[in-house]
Amino acid sequence: MANRTDPLASIVHGTNPQNLIENIVRQRIYEQLYWKEDCFALTAETLLEKAVELRCVGGTHGGQRQATNFLCLVLKLLQLQPEKEIIYEYIANEDFKYVRVLGAFYLRLVGSPKEIYEYLEPLYHDFRKVRKVNLDGTFCAVHIDETVQEMLTGSFMFDTSLPRIPYRHTLVSVGRLKPRVSAMAKDFEAVRKELEEKKARLLEEEVRRREENLEIEKREAAERIAHTYRDRHSGSMRRRNDFGEDRRHGGFGDGEARARAREGKRQRSRRSPSPGVREGRGPKSTRRDREKTSNSEREAGTGDMRKEDLSIQETNALRAKLGLKPLKM
């Protein structure tokens, strides 16, 4: 009688609730001393006292594949099939984390898809750690939100096959569930607004900096243009002033030195005519002038020869007086 399901329990997923746990695992549970001593004659009210005493979660472990106390209580819940409100209270319990995991796993086995998503998704915000028994008997720490995620997405957990449930987006598309709102949506919205405001401030600063740079470039360009115009205007005025002063003094601006140089050159040319002019071969000399020049040169040459002949005769006269031989002509 202790291993039978409550006669008032209803069929779940078309079968006896105890059949949700595999037969071989159930036999391991029935053989456990904890099942025989502590789970005997439990009710929905007294089972909570045993659930509070849980210190780990898991399926079977060790060489003998002994079942954990957690799995024994899950099977007891399937036998008793308490009201859903009691299970909801288990899940809402924040003081005892193992009681919360026990209620969540039981609801995952017997609940409808809508109930499972509505009551298990809020557990995503529970980040407390629980101890889990591994297959080899060792322990590891897992978070409650990780365990709930495995319940909603996995197909096998704690040596138990989980009933299949449709995906959440499928239930949302048919209108059975509302779109999930993250608990951090407000934080995300605040961060998004802060980032947008910061981006807007940076954009305004960038625009203002570009405008300032543009104004600076415009002023620099205007100063360069004004400086260039000023230089050109001052140069033209200086040339005009120099030209006027030189006119008053009979010169040509700053070329007073050049004018003096030209005047000196002109005077030198007057004092020393060019070789062509001295020789009568200037540009205005005629053929007759050139002939006269050549005749005068020949006459000057014969005169020189005669002078040379006279000097030789005088020399011979003197040599004759002295008794010397005369020089040959």
Side-chain angles (χ1 to χ4, degrees):
M1 293 293 296
N3 298 337
R4 293 183 180 179
T5 305
D6 190 344
L8 300 179
S10 59
I11 295 174
V12 179
H13 300 303
T15 185
N16 189 333
Q18 285 196 94
N19 294 337
L20 296 177
I21 296 180
E22 282 76 2
N23 182 39
I24 189 169
V25 178
R26 289 203 312 273
Q27 298 305 320
R28 294 286 188 273
I29 294 173
Y30 294 155
E31 293 174 359
Q32 286 296 114
L33 185 62
Y34 181 81
W35 172 264
K36 295 177 180 179
E37 294 182 356
D38 296 336
C39 295
F40 181 76
L42 285 179
T43 61
E45 293 77 11
T46 58
L47 188 143
L48 181 60
E49 298 176 0
K50 298 296 181 180
V52 171
E53 297 175 356
L54 290 175
R55 292 295 177 267
C56 64
V57 297
T60 59
H61 62 89
Q64 300 295 329
R65 301 301 299 275
Q66 296 179 0
T68 60
N69 298 344
F70 175 83
L71 196 59
C72 293
L73 293 181
V74 171
L75 181 60
K76 197 63 180 180
L77 285 174
L78 291 174
Q79 281 186 356
L80 298 175
Q81 200 177 64
E83 295 180 0
K84 292 289 183 68
E85 285 73 12
I86 297 176
I87 304 302
Y88 298 157
E89 291 298 326
Y90 282 11
I91 297 173
N93 193 327
E94 296 182 357
D95 298 330
F96 301 98
K97 53 188 178 182
Y98 293 100
V99 174
R100 170 172 279 190
V101 177
L102 178 65
F105 188 68
Y106 174 77
L107 184 65
R108 176 64 180 85
L109 293 176
V110 302
S112 63
K114 183 179 180 181
E115 290 176 336
I116 292 172
Y117 282 109
E118 286 181 350
Y119 286 95
L120 266 62
E121 282 183 346
L123 300 184
Y124 280 145
H125 311 149
D126 193 346
F127 306 112
R128 292 178 293 179
K129 292 182 179 181
V130 294
R131 283 187 295 272
K132 179 182 177 181
V133 182
N134 297 320
L135 185 61
D136 57 356
T138 59
F139 292 87
C140 66
V142 294
H143 295 83
I144 293 179
D145 59 329
E146 296 175 352
T147 306
V148 172
Q149 176 69 14
E150 187 177 357
M151 292 179 189
L152 294 177
T153 59
S155 60
F156 192 80
M157 187 176 182
F158 300 147
D159 293 328
T160 303
S161 295
L162 302 177
R164 296 187 61 182
I165 57 175
Y167 294 110
R168 192 184 197 287
H169 63 82
T170 304
L171 299 178
V172 172
S173 62
V174 298
R176 296 187 61 184
L177 281 178
K178 295 180 180 180
R180 182 170 177 265
V181 178
S182 175
M184 301 180 68
K186 294 182 179 179
D187 297 335
F188 288 148
E189 186 67 19
V191 172
R192 185 183 63 81
K193 289 183 179 179
E194 184 178 356
L195 292 177
E196 289 181 354
E197 292 176 357
K198 184 177 180 180
K199 186 177 180 180
R201 288 196 301 270
L202 293 177
L203 183 60
E204 291 178 358
E205 292 177 359
E206 182 68 19
V207 171
R208 185 169 58 255
R209 185 169 64 255
R210 289 184 179 180
E211 291 178 353
E212 292 176 356
N213 294 336
L214 184 61
E215 291 295 331
I216 293 172
E217 291 177 359
K218 287 182 178 179
R219 286 199 299 271
E220 291 178 353
E223 291 176 358
R224 286 196 298 270
I225 294 172
H227 185 68
T228 304
Y229 176 76
R230 195 181 307 114
D231 292 344
R232 292 179 179 177
H233 184 68
S234 61
S236 61
M237 290 295 294
R238 186 165 54 251
R239 287 193 294 272
R240 287 198 297 271
N241 293 337
D242 294 341
F243 182 73
E245 291 176 0
D246 292 335
R247 269 196 170 182
R248 287 194 298 273
H249 294 84
F252 292 90
D254 293 336
E256 183 177 354
R258 288 178 289 176
R260 292 176 181 174
R262 287 196 296 271
E263 184 64 25
K265 186 176 180 181
R266 200 177 300 118
Q267 293 175 1
R268 287 194 298 273
S269 63
R270 290 173 186 163
R271 290 195 300 269
S272 57
S274 61
V277 174
R278 288 196 302 270
E279 296 174 359
R281 294 194 297 272
K284 295 183 179 181
S285 62
T286 59
R287 183 176 181 182
R288 185 177 297 174
D289 295 335
R290 289 194 295 273
E291 291 177 353
K292 288 180 179 180
T293 302
S294 59
N295 294 331
S296 62
E297 290 177 352
R298 283 196 298 272
E299 291 176 357
T302 55
D304 292 339
M305 291 297 292
R306 289 173 183 173
K307 289 179 181 180
E308 290 177 357
D309 294 340
L310 290 176
S311 60
I312 292 172
Q313 291 176 359
E314 291 176 355
T315 302
N316 289 332
L318 291 175
R319 288 176 68 88
K321 291 177 178 181
L322 294 175
L324 296 176
K325 293 180 179 181
L327 295 176
K328 294 181 179 181
M329 296 295 294

